[in-house]
């Protein structure tokens, strides 16, 4: 009746989101009075026993290189089989792009109730109730899972990664992996940038920046903060920035520690994508911009004047 | 070639979200219902675009809901599609909804099943995957491009930190995100034609839901914004560093 945690990886490296779900899954196991185990499908270069520091006692690996690419159906079947072989009753994974591809299929294969997009630890005082974000971040729901096997996919940046002491024993799981039906012909990963959904800090620009040629100062600010860049919907629709940077109800929903909105008025659809951010800073020359009502800190002023100064001040802080 | 497009209704994106009955039910009073944007703009329109290139393609729409969902399905039919199927039940468990769709899909012999990447109310991104799992066919999530040549689909999809392109033989279930199709609005001819398109009602299969929503809540209100003067940017940095501990 252990808790099994999927360790997601790409290009030989474990993703940051996996450390978060390991910490989360270990806390779930502690709450249930059971063990937390990791599940790694494929191969990575990371030090696997060291993952014990996130609270897992054992790491189950299926070291089949075919699993380094994610064919959702094949991958999910392997997860389902691993759940059965390890006797796990709770499966935890990230609600990142991999999680969105595989969690639901796994739920179908195991007839397991799934809460997708959890934002907190389950409440196990009466049943098994998981809080998740709904209405694109405008609200949350407390969802009871009633099936014997339970699956939780955790929204990125919802739980604090906690590392302590510990070594995990690594053991190989013997699973026959079906041939992939999906043949990947090209992979295009944005290099050198912080992925938006994993970023601790996000710097986002709106129409107030007047044109794509003015994004240099947004990128400069993002650079000194090691932040990801994002934008509002009109900016993406005008082709000033790529669509994958569009944050909002119909774009990406983010929950960073700090969200800095520059020249974004704060339409309700945009707020839906950012209102789980812990701290929000708004820079806008219109004091009536609705975003100020959702912000923690604000500057009423011209972005072209304020943003370069902000970058300079942060540089000073980092160098002090 | 038969395509099944899954259609869900959601509150309009500008809706104020509130709850009633001790926070156990969504307050529907005053809410405008729309077709879930991802289902409409991307999944449905891409199916219509494919049919515009190949008239032999048959498009069925499927929705799970009570009779009150029919205006939404008619609106979808006004955009395109040959006929619609409504499974006459309601629920908030992804498995329950998806299993109802899978039951219909099993009978229909569909080559391609499209869903939106998620609904904008429950945001679970789960129905497509569960349908694929129950049918045991490949699933491609978060597609941003979809092309078809014969029985081979070429699909670009979002992965963490980028995208990848892959080929897969039909049948396949695909969840559609921005980029798959160009958003369009129905014309008068479509609206008139939708009135006479078949809308079949089927009764639900006996399936146990695996989750249920106990209650809802709203995020805590912000304490109020602390404004810093535009000529005192250093103060903002101090607050972010010392008070928020965010930088």
């Amino acid at each position: 009746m252990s808790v099994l945690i999927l360790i997601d990886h790409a290009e030989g490296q474990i993703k940051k989101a996996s450390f978060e779900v390991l910490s989360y899954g270990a806390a779930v196991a502690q709450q249930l009075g059971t063990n937390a185990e990791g599940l790694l499908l494929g191969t990575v270069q990371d030090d696997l026993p060291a993952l014990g520091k996130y609270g897992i006692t054992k790491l189950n690996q299926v070291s089949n290189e075919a699993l380094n690419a994610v064919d959702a159906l094949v991958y999910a079947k392997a997860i389902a089989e691993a759940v059965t072989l390890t006797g796990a009753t709770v499966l935890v994974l990230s609600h990142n792009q991999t999680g969105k591809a595989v969690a639901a299929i796994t739920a179908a294969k195991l007839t397991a109730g799934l809460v997708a997009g959890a934002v907190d630890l389950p409440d196990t005082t009466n049943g098994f109730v998981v809080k998740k974000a709904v209405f694109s971040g405008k609200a949350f729901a407390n969802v009871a899972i009633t099936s014997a096997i339970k699956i939780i996919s955790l929204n990125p940046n919802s739980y604090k990664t906690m590392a302590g002491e510990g070594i995990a024993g690594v053991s190989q799981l013997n699973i026959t992996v079906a041939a992939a039906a999906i043949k990947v012909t090209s992979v295009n990963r944005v290099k050198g940038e912080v992925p938006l959904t994993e970023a601790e800090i996000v710097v986002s620009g709106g129409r107030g920046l007047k044109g794509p040629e003015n994004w240099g100062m947004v990128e400069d600010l993002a650079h000194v903060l090691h932040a990801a860049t994002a934008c509002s919907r009109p900016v993406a629709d005008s082709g000033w920035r790529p669509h994958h940077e569009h944050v909002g109800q119909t774009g990406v929903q983010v929950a960073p520690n700090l969200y800095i909105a520059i020249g974004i008025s704060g339409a309700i659809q945009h707020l839906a994508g950012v209102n789980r951010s812990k701290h929000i800073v708004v820079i806008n020359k219109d004091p009536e911009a609705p975003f100020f009502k959702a912000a923690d800190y604000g500057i009423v002023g011209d972005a072209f004047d304020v943003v370069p100064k902000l970058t300079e001040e942060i540089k000073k802080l980092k160098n002090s | 070639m038969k395509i099944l497009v899954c259609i869900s209704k959601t509150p309009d994106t500008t809706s104020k979200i509130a709850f009633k009955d001790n926070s156990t039910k969504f307050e529907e009073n005053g809410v405008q219902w729309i077709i879930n944007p991802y289902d409409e703009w991307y999944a449905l329109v891409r199916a219509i675009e494919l049919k515009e290139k190949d008239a032999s393609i048959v498009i069925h729409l499927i929705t799970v809901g009570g009779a009150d969902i029919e205006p939404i399905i008619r609106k979808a039919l006004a955009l395109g599609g040959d006929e619609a199927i409504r499974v006459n039940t309601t629920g908030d468990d992804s498995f329950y909804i998806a299993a109802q769709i899978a039951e219909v899909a099993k009978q229909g012999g569909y080559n391609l099943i499209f869903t939106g990447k998620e609904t904008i109310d429950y945001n679970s991104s789960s129905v497509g995957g569960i349908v694929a799992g129950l049918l045991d066919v490949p699933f491609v999530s978060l597609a941003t491009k979809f092309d078809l040549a014969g029985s081979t689909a070429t699909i670009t999809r979002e992965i963490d930190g980028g995208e990848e392109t892959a080929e897969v033989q039909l049948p396949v279930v695909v969840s559609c995100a921005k980029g798959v199709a160009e958003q369009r609005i129905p014309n008068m001819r479509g609206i008139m034609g939708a009135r006479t398109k078949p809308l079949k009602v089927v009764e639900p299969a006996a399936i146990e839901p695996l989750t249920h929503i106990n209650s809802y809540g709203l995020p805590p209100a912000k304490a109020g914004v602390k404004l810093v003067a535009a000529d005192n940017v250093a103060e903002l940095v101090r607050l972010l560093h010392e008070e928020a501990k965010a930088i």
Side-chain angles (χ1 to χ4, degrees):
Chain A
M1 65 159 279
S2 57
V3 173
L4 190 65
I5 305 150
L6 180 72
I7 299 167
D8 186 24
H9 58 96
E11 295 176 338
Q13 289 196 318
I14 295 174
K15 293 180 192 170
K16 185 189 140 205
S18 300
F19 305 130
E20 186 184 2
V21 289
L22 281 168
S23 303
Y24 177 89
V28 174
Q30 196 175 30
Q31 212 173 310
L32 296 172
T34 183
N35 286 336
E37 299 185 5
L39 172 65
L40 180 77
L41 301 180
T43 53
V44 294
Q45 287 144 15
D46 301 70
D47 178 2
L48 298 180
L51 294 173
K53 70 179 175 196
Y54 298 107
I56 54 169
T57 51
K58 186 176 167 190
L59 180 84
N60 303 281
Q61 185 180 19
V62 183
S63 46
N64 181 328
E65 287 179 4
L67 291 167
N68 290 345
V70 176
D71 175 321
L73 182 65
V74 173
Y75 206 85
K77 279 181 180 173
I79 299 172
E81 202 177 331
V83 168
T84 307
L85 285 176
T86 59
T89 51
V90 178
L91 172 70
V92 175
L93 68 172
S94 175
H95 194 54
N96 62 1
Q97 314 300 51
T98 304
K100 287 173 188 174
V102 304
I105 310 176
T106 312
K109 293 296 175 197
L110 293 168
T111 319
L114 164 66
V115 174
V119 294
D120 206 346
L121 287 171
D123 177 353
T124 51
T125 51
N126 184 12
F128 194 97
V129 181
V130 188
K131 184 172 168 180
K132 87 178 253 358
V134 290
F135 296 102
S136 305
K138 290 177 190 166
F140 58 84
N142 296 304
V143 187
I145 309 182
T146 49
S147 54
I149 298 176
K150 301 165 174 71
I151 304 182
I152 304 173
S153 70
L154 180 71
N155 257 352
N157 284 351
S158 295
Y159 193 77
K160 201 166 168 47
T161 300
M162 282 179 286
E165 302 286 321
I167 299 287
V170 179
S171 70
Q172 296 297 321
L173 274 186
N174 191 8
I175 290 176
T176 312
V177 178
I182 296 174
K183 290 190 177 51
V184 176
T185 52
S186 71
V187 178
N188 181 15
R189 275 202 179 80
V190 184
K191 300 280 178 195
E193 282 180 33
V194 183
L196 191 49
T197 50
E198 288 192 1
E200 290 279 330
I201 303 178
V202 174
V203 180
S204 190
R207 262 186 305 194
L209 289 172
K210 297 193 169 70
E213 66 280 8
N214 296 325
W215 241 261
M217 61 182 189
V218 174
E219 284 166 352
D220 289 346
L221 177 59
H223 184 72
V224 295
L225 289 168
H226 300 291
T229 54
C231 67
S232 65
R233 180 171 171 198
V235 165
D237 282 354
S238 313
W240 296 0
R241 300 294 292 177
H243 279 308
H244 66 78
E245 285 198 0
H246 161 204
V247 161
Q249 184 154 14
T250 54
V252 182
Q253 279 111 47
V254 296
N257 193 28
L258 176 62
Y259 186 83
I260 302 179
I262 304 164
I264 303 177
S265 63
I268 189 167
Q269 295 93 333
H270 186 77
L271 296 182
V274 305
N275 63 10
R276 289 190 307 108
S277 308
K278 280 188 197 73
H279 306 282
I280 294 179
V281 174
V282 170
I283 299 167
N284 203 301
K285 67 179 179 191
D286 175 11
E288 301 299 319
F291 217 148
F292 283 115
K293 288 197 177 67
D296 300 286
Y297 303 100
I299 290 184
V300 179
D302 185 355
F304 294 90
D305 170 45
V306 172
V307 174
K309 278 188 195 157
L310 183 56
T311 306
E312 281 314 307
E313 288 296 333
I314 291 166
K315 270 189 198 159
K316 271 191 221 165
L317 174 76
K318 301 259 172 189
N319 291 332
S320 65
Chain B
M1 168 78 72
K2 282 177 83 178
I3 306 177
L4 184 66
V5 182
C6 305
I7 300 287
S8 184
K9 73 163 188 177
T10 57
D12 179 79
T13 56
T14 58
S15 298
K16 187 170 160 24
I17 304 302
F19 303 102
K20 60 177 182 181
D21 296 356
N22 214 6
S23 291
T24 57
K25 286 201 178 73
F26 177 60
E27 175 57 83
E28 301 193 2
N29 238 333
V31 169
Q32 282 275 15
W33 294 94
I34 57 169
I35 309 169
N36 178 46
Y38 293 109
D39 301 347
E40 177 184 349
W41 301 347
Y42 309 124
L44 176 56
V45 174
R46 188 63 192 134
I48 296 165
E49 288 171 353
L50 292 171
K51 188 182 167 84
E52 283 167 354
K53 277 195 251 168
D54 176 358
S56 71
I57 291 176
V58 175
I59 302 174
H60 287 180
L61 314 187
I62 185 165
T63 192
V64 179
D68 61 325
I69 206 172
E70 293 200 354
I72 292 293
I73 201 88
R74 288 280 174 212
K75 227 181 118 190
L77 284 169
L79 276 163
D82 299 291
E83 62 174 81
I85 301 154
R86 174 171 72 82
V87 184
N88 187 28
T89 184
T90 56
D92 51 34
D93 175 44
S94 301
F95 182 87
Y96 179 76
I97 300 292
Q100 299 296 345
I101 294 171
E103 283 300 316
V104 172
K106 272 179 204 164
Q107 315 297 323
Y110 298 99
N111 309 85
L112 192 52
I113 300 177
F114 277 152
T115 70
K117 78 159 186 176
E118 64 184 50
T119 59
I120 62 167
D121 48 9
Y122 294 116
N123 308 106
S124 290
S125 213
S126 297
V127 166
I130 295 173
V131 170
L134 292 173
L135 298 176
D136 204 41
V137 301
F139 174 56
V140 179
S141 54
L142 312 179
T144 56
K145 260 185 215 154
F146 181 94
D147 286 302
L148 197 59
S151 64
T152 306
T154 304
I155 308 169
T156 301
R157 70 178 191 106
E158 293 173 21
I159 55 173
D160 294 295
E163 49 183 37
E164 71 180 19
T165 301
E167 288 177 1
V168 58
Q169 297 299 311
L170 302 187
V172 63
V173 179
V174 181
S175 85
C176 301
K178 197 167 196 158
V180 157
E182 280 296 322
Q183 192 180 340
R184 55 171 81 174
I185 51 169
N187 56 31
M188 194 40 87
R189 202 168 137 246
I191 294 166
M192 300 303 283
R195 293 183 188 171
T196 54
K197 285 180 182 172
L199 197 169
K200 203 166 86 183
V201 179
V202 299
E203 290 307 314
I207 286 153
E208 273 301 308
L210 306 176
T211 68
H212 67 89
I213 295 178
N214 280 356
S215 62
Y216 294 93
L218 294 170
K222 288 272 180 189
V225 62
K226 267 190 194 171
L227 286 178
V228 174
D231 58 3
N232 194 8
V233 176
E235 172 63 6
L236 175 65
V237 173
R238 190 193 68 78
L239 286 168
L240 290 176
H241 182 60
E242 291 175 11
E243 188 178 85
K245 298 189 182 353
I247 61 173

